Amino acid sequence: MRTPKKTRAQVRPRWALAAAAAVMVGTGLVAVPPSQAAAGDDPVNVVVDGDDVRADNVNGLTYKGLGVLSCNSTSNLLMDYKAEQPERYWQLIRVLFGGANPLINHVKVEMGSDTNTSTGADPATMRTPDELADASRSPGFQLAADAKTVNPRLKVSVLRWEMPQWVQQEWDKGTGTDEMYRWYKETILDVYQKYGYMIDYVNPDKNETRSPDVSFIKWYKNAIVSDTNFADARYGVPEKKREAVAQAYHRIKIVASDENNTLNMGPAMLSDADLFGIVDATGYHYTTDDRREGAVGSDTYLPYTRLATGENTYGQDKEVWYSEGTGSFGYTDYRVNNTEGPGGASTGIGGVQSALDIANRVVKSYANSKRTHYIFQPAIGSFYEGAQYSHKELVSARDPWSGYLHYDAAIYVMQHFTQFAKTGWENDTNTEGIWRTVPEASYSGVSGTENLDGSNGAPSYMTLADPKKRDFSTVVVNDSDRPKTYRIKAQGLRLGRDTTMEAWETRAADAGQRYDADFKHLAAEIRPDDAGDGTYTYTYTVKPRSVTTLTTLDRSGDPATKQRLPESGDRAVLDTDASGKRGDTRDTYLYADDFAYREEGKVRVGASVQSYLTSRGNQPRYMVDQTGAWEVGDGVLYQYMDQSMKDTAAWNKNTPNTTVGDFRWENYKASVDVSFPDPDGGLAALGVRQQKGMAISDAAYNLRIGADGAWTFYEYGTVLARGTVAAADGYRLAVEAKGATVTAFVDGAEVASYRDPTPETAGRVKLGSDFHTTGFDNLKVEKVAGYAPYAAAQTDNMDSAVTYEGDWSRKASGGDAMDWYRTTSTSTTAGASVTVPVRGTGVDVIGGNDGSAVLDVLMDGRLVAKDVRTTVTDKRLATYSLRGLPDGRHEVTFVLKSGKLVLDAFDTASGGRVSGVVDTAPVRDALAEVAEAEQGDYTAGSWPVFAHARAAARAAAHGQKGLDTVGVGQLADRLRTAYGQLVAR
C-alpha cells in the first residue's frame, strides 16, 4: 500500500516513575495472554494501538534484528570460499548482510586463544606480549569488513571466552587487568588499521560467566574513556588519524555479561547506578525468560524487562539481547520428512529445534524478557562436520573447493522478522526510523525456555511498528498441527488511504509441490472491517506449522521480498592436481599443499585487495583448527603453541591438531614432512579417515613420531604398534588406507600394518603435534591403485529420494551432532524396508548400530543378498556395505528381517575414478569353488540369489566397468555366502 508522506514523529513523553510503578504492581510486567472468544478457542485478539508505539524508547524497544557470532572455528572455511569461489562468497555476503532490509545487522567476534572453545579454536591475535596484534588471523573481523561493504551500518562487537597464556598467567594472580586491556586495545586498533572500522561494543567479561565481574567492567569502561595514548608505534596509527581514532575508540559501548544459566547482570544494573550508566547493552544465552524472583518491583523481578522498557528507577531504557542462540538444527529440507507429529505425521518446518522453533525463540524472548536482538551461534557453519555442535546454522559452507552452499529454509523464516520492518540501531537524534517493538501486541504461550515446543497451539506473535505509526507488522508463529485464527485490531495509527494488509507465509510444501513452493510467499491480501473512526480489524487464519507476517506494508511488487535464495550447487568431492588448487579427477592426487601458495592470486578484503597469505593472516588453506596455533611461515606450516603458551583454559582440552579434506575420501595414502625446530623436543602426528571428534586420536588411524625417532601407530587412541627409527631433524610420515588394511611408513619404509575387522572406511586427514613448535610441509593425499578413492555422494536418511515401507521412527528433534544433519530413521519391525537410489557401484549404510539387524538386500527389485548381518558400529560408520554393482543407476532396497536398524545416511560408491590394475583373482577363485553347482540340484527358492551372485562374479572376472578391489572382495564373499545358503532338493 502507499503510505502518506512522512511527517516528523510525535515523541511520546517519557513515562513517569509513578506510572511505571503502577504498571509493575498492577501486572507485574508479565506477558498477558491475549483475549480469546473462550478459553483455548480462536480467535486470538490482538490490539495494535498507536499509543503503544513508543517512539521515545530508542534503545530497549527498537528492533535490532539478527546477528551472527563468529568463534571457535565456525567461520574458518569462509576465507577459503572467498579465495576459491569469490562469486559465491560475495553472493553470500549480499544475501545475509545486504539490501534495504538486511537479514543480519551485527557480527559478534569471540576473540580466540588458540584453544578449543567448543567446535574448534580461533587464532589468538597476540600470542605473546611482544607480538604485534594481528586481527587478520581471525576470520570474524574480516567477515565484518566484508559485510560492511554492503551494510555500512553493521555493528561489530567483541568478547573473550578464554585468553592467551601471557594474559592468563597475570589474570590468575589477580593482577591482569592491564594485560587484558592491552590485548583488547591492540586488537581493536589493529582491526581499525586493517579494515577501517572501529569496534562498536566490547564485553570485557568472560563469555558465559555465572558471576559477572562488575568491578572489571567498570575499570575497563573507565580505561577506554580516559585513554589518551594512540601514538605508540605498536598501534601503527598515523599521526593525522590519531584524533579521529581516539574519538571513535572513546565511543565504544559496553555489553555485559553474556551469562548462561544465570541472570545476574540485570539485577546488578538496577541496583548500581554507576553500573547502569556504564553498560549500554546486556544479554544472556539459551533461555527466553526473564528472572522472576522476589517481590514485584524488586531488582530480581523481571529486571531485563524493566531495563528494556525504561520502567525502572532511572527512567531510562537499555538494549537487551539474546546474545547467543542456536540456528535451526539440520537441514529443513530433510527435517520435513520426520514422523514426530501427531499420529506419526510430519511436523513440516516445525518441531523442536526447527526453523519454527527458532522463530518462537525470537518471539518468546521478546514477549517474556523484551529482548530485541537475536545472535546466532553460528548463522554460518563454515567448519567441517563432525565437530561438536555441527548442523545448527542458517547457511552450511563446508566445501570451499566446490562452492557448495546450503541456504536453509530457516532464512526465509527469519526474513519474516527482518523484511517487513526497518531494523537496526536508532541514531542519537531519533531520526533513523527504526521500528519499535510493541509489548502490548506481542505474546507467546508456547512451551519451554530454550528448545521450544509450539505443539500446544498457544498463540505466539510479535508486533513491530513504524515509530511514526504509519505501518506495522505482526509476525505469527503456529508450530502446531491446528489452524489458528487471529483478529488484529489497529487503532490510533496513520495507515493512510490503502489499509490493505498482506499475509506473507512460509510453511512446508503440499504433496506434489516443489520443496520450497510455500516459502515466503504472498498468501493473501486482507481488507479490514472499517469502524469509521480510524479503527480497522483484520481477520486471518494462520495455517498449521507455519510462520506468517501480517503487514500493512505493500510488498506485493517488491522484488527483494520475492527474491529466492540461491541454489546450493553440487557438492563435488575434493580432488585436485598436485598444486591443490585446480580440480583434476584423472591424475593420482586427491589433494596436495606445499604451503607456498604460488598458485593463489589476490583476494578482496573489504574495500581492498591483498595477497593470499596476507589476506588471511598466514592461515593455511582448507584447514580447520581444533587446538593450536597453526600458521604458515616461509613456505612451511608451523604449529606454534609451545610450552610457554599451553597452560590456558579450554572447553575441550587436546594437544594441537588440525583437519583438512573431504569426509568422502576413502582409499588413499597421506604423507607429510615433519620437523622439530623447538630445541626442547616435539611430537608430530598424521592421521587418516577422520569423521568426527576434535583430537588427533579421532582420526581412525594415526601415526605419531617424536624428535628422537620413537613412533607409535594407533587405531583412534589404541596402540597398534610402536618402534624407533634413527633420530633425525625431520621425517616423512605416511599412512595408507585401502579397504580394511592400513599401513604406516616412516621415511618411505613400512613400519606397521593392520587389517581392521570393522574398519572406518572414509574420512579426512589430520595433522597434530604436542606443545612444541613443529613444522609440516609437502602434504600429499594420493589415490591408491586399484581402489575407488572416494564415495561419489551421500544421501541423508531423510532425503525425499529415500522411500520407506513399514514402521519407522524418523527423528529430527534432539538429534545428535554426530548424526548427519541430526536425523536418524529407526525400525525394529520385521518386514520394514527402505529403498535408496544409487548412481555408482555400491552403497554403504551409515549409522550407529548394535549389530542386531539382519537384512535382505535387493537391487532393482532382485534379491542379491539374503539374511546378511550388520556390524556393531559407532556413528558415521558403515553397518553394512554393498559393493561391486554394475556401474550405473540402481535402486537398492534393504528389508529388515530381525533386530534393530538405525539409518543415518547412505554413501554411494563410485568406481569411475579407479586407477591402475584391479586384481580379480579373489572372484576367479570363488567362481572355481562353486563351478560344479547345477540349478537342478537345489530348491527353486534358494537358487536365484546364488545365480545372481555367480553372474555378477563372472562379469567382474571379465573386467566389469568401475570395479575396484573392495568390490572384487565383496563379490567373492557374496558368491561364497550364496553358495553356502543353497538348499539341496
Side-chain angles (χ1 to χ4, degrees), residues 13-23 310-312 315:
R14 185 170 300 281
W15 309 308
L17 293 181
V23 171
E311 296 168 350
N312 53 64

Side-chain angles (χ1 to χ4, degrees), residues 839-854:
R839 186 176 183 179
T841 58
V843 60
D844 293 342
V845 181
I846 308 297
N849 277 275
D850 61 10
S852 65
V854 177

Side-chain angles (χ1 to χ4, degrees), residues 300-346:
T300 54
Y301 191 82
L302 298 179
Y304 295 93
T305 297
R306 295 169 60 206
L307 287 169
T309 60
E311 296 168 350
N312 53 64
T313 303
Y314 312 103
Q316 298 177 28
D317 55 277
K318 293 285 186 177
E319 299 179 38
V320 183
W321 301 353
Y322 198 129
S323 52
E324 183 178 319
T326 66
S328 177
F329 281 44
Y331 284 10
T332 299
D333 39 344
Y334 296 154
R335 287 185 60 103
V336 297
N337 295 317
N338 68 61
T339 59
E340 296 174 314
S346 168

Side-chain angles (χ1 to χ4, degrees), residues 189-237:
L189 294 181
D190 192 60
V191 168
Y192 185 87
Q193 287 299 97
K194 285 188 167 74
Y195 303 122
Y197 65 84
M198 183 60 67
I199 298 297
D200 297 288
Y201 292 84
V202 171
N203 179 359
D205 207 353
K206 182 176 180 177
N207 180 54
E208 297 198 342
T209 179
R210 290 171 179 247
S211 302
D213 192 341
V214 170
S215 62
F216 180 64
I217 293 170
K218 292 179 178 180
W219 182 94
Y220 182 86
K221 177 64 174 180
N222 180 68
I224 283 182
V225 298
S226 61
D227 196 338
T228 59
N229 179 15
F230 297 92
D232 193 311
R234 293 181 59 85
Y235 307 152
V237 181

Side-chain angles (χ1 to χ4, degrees), residues 6 33 204 222 340 389 394 636 654 729 746 763 787 941 956:
K6 292 184 178 180
N222 180 68
E340 296 174 314
Y389 304 129
L394 305 185
V636 177
N654 288 303
D729 293 335
V746 177
Y787 287 81

Side-chain angles (χ1 to χ4, degrees), residues 863 866 935-947 982-985:
L863 188 63
K866 183 179 180 182
Q935 182 173 359
D937 296 334
Y938 301 98
T939 62
S942 64
W943 182 257
V945 174
F946 171 77
L982 285 172
V983 178
R985 289 184 182 273

Side-chain angles (χ1 to χ4, degrees), residues 77 81 385 397-404 571-572 662-664:
L77 294 173
Y81 271 89
E385 300 102 328
R398 294 183 163 94
D399 292 3
W401 47 87
S402 71
Y404 174 88
R571 197 172 187 187
D662 198 305
F663 70 90
R664 292 161 293 190

Side-chain angles (χ1 to χ4, degrees), residues 85 147 253 273 374 449 474 588 677 702 712 765 768 781 928:
Q85 307 289 339
K253 295 183 177 181
Y374 187 100
T449 59
T474 299
T588 61
N702 57 91
T712 311
V765 169
V781 185

